[in-house]
């Protein structure tokens, strides 16, 4: 059963998300010497850019220089392109760190298939002996259609059970060419934190959390095998939920 936290505003959700990441990082660094984190694009970029640096300053031992950062999905555009998720994180968040983390960059200059193969190889090397790699935390968004990462409703990628990373060139959300973590990799994580804010997400959040739709939309297929799943919603995104979801921590 997933945990659901509802926050009065996107800003309060962002602060809570940042604190969860900082605390998970401190715990992972203390226990294993590193923290492995996957990031998504879209509105998550400015949210983390604003909230994560102060949270890290407040949590001793959360040291981003001990992190391994990867991307749950990436658009295949040049890094300097405004649609590049990696480029946006480099400019808005990573540039704030005096000692930045190790980052697995998607080589967008390669074609989709080659970029996916290269990125999967980078991941397997970064997680020796782990098949599939188990990220400490993966931060995911959800689209109004229920997509997450770059896994879209009805897409063949939802059936992928072997590859860790796959690619598509027909993304309904532009840009069309992307690489994405697949469900086996997403569901191997220790912690899946799924963020949804704004009224446009309220209908799909109700569909995901309260209606057992068949087939489930991609975000409803997030079921960590042994890890934890937590939804972080602002009040607008939770507006159509009929139950009494947990209030923010
Ligand atoms: C991407 C994202 C994508 C995003 C959702 C929600 O690169 O497009 O990874 O999965 O998380 O589309 O985006 P918003 O939070 O901006 O609505």
């Amino acid at each position: 059963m997933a945990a659901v936290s509802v926050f009065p505003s996107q800003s309060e959700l962002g602060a809570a998300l940042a604190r969860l990441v900082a605390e998970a990082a401190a715990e992972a660094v203390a226990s294993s010497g590193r923290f492995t984190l996957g990031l998504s694009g879209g509105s998550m970029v400015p949210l983390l850019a604003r909230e994560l640096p102060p949270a890290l300053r407040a949590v001793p031992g959360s040291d981003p220089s001990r992190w391994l950062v990867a991307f749950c999905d990436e658009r295949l555009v040049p890094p300097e392109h405004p649609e590049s998720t990696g480029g946006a994180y480099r400019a808005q968040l990573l540039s704030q760190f005096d000692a930045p983390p190790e980052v697995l960059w998607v080589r967008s200059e390669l074609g989709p298939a080659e970029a996916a193969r290269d990125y999967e190889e980078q991941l397997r090397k970064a997680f020796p002996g782990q098949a599939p790699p188990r990220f400490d935390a993966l931060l995911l968004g959800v689209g109004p259609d229920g997509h997450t990462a770059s896994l879209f409703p009805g897409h063949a990628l939802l059936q992928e059970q072997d590859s860790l990373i796959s690619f598509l060139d027909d993304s309904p959300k532009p840009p069309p060419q992307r690489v994405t973590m697949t469900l086996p990799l997403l569901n191997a994580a220790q912690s899946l934190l799924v963020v949804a804010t704004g009224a446009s997400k309220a209908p799909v959040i109700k569909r995901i959390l309260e209606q057992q739709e068949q087939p489930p939309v991609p975000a409803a297929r997030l079921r960590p095998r042994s890890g934890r799943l937590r939804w972080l919603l602002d009040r607008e995104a939770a507006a159509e939920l009929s139950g009494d979801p947990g209030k923010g921590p």
Side-chain angles (χ1 to χ4, degrees), residues 10 39-46 71-75 83-85 89 139-145 147-152 171 173-175 178-180 195-197 200-201:
Q10 183 190 45
L39 300 172
S40 291
S43 64
M44 190 175 287
V45 180
F71 300 101
C72 297
D73 61 333
E74 177 59 290
R75 299 87 174 275
E83 288 287 345
S84 167
T85 295
Y89 275 111
L139 309 190
L140 291 161
V142 58
D145 61 355
H147 79 261
T148 192
S150 287
L151 298 172
F152 291 89
S171 169
K173 176 181 180 183
R178 293 160 172 248
V179 297
T180 184
V195 172
T197 60
S200 69
K201 307 293 174 73

Side-chain angles (χ1 to χ4, degrees), residues 167-181:
F167 66 94
L168 63 162
D169 56 14
D170 56 353
S171 169
K173 176 181 180 183
Q177 289 196 335
R178 293 160 172 248
V179 297
T180 184
M181 289 185 181

Side-chain angles (χ1 to χ4, degrees), residues 4 12 14 28 80 83 133 181 183 189 193 202 219 230 248:
V4 180
E12 287 165 280
E80 65 277 5
E83 288 287 345
M181 289 185 181
L183 286 169
L193 297 171
R230 180 165 183 175

Side-chain angles (χ1 to χ4, degrees), residues 91-134:
Q92 298 180 44
L93 175 63
L94 302 178
S95 57
Q96 296 189 55
F97 296 149
D98 296 333
E102 180 185 357
V103 180
L104 301 184
W105 299 103
V106 174
R107 292 179 54 197
S108 58
E109 72 278 13
L110 304 172
E114 192 52 27
R117 191 202 59 72
D118 172 81
Y119 195 45
E120 175 155 341
E121 188 178 334
Q122 289 186 62
L123 273 171
R124 290 187 186 278
K125 283 179 184 169
F127 290 82
Q130 287 189 27
R134 290 189 304 279

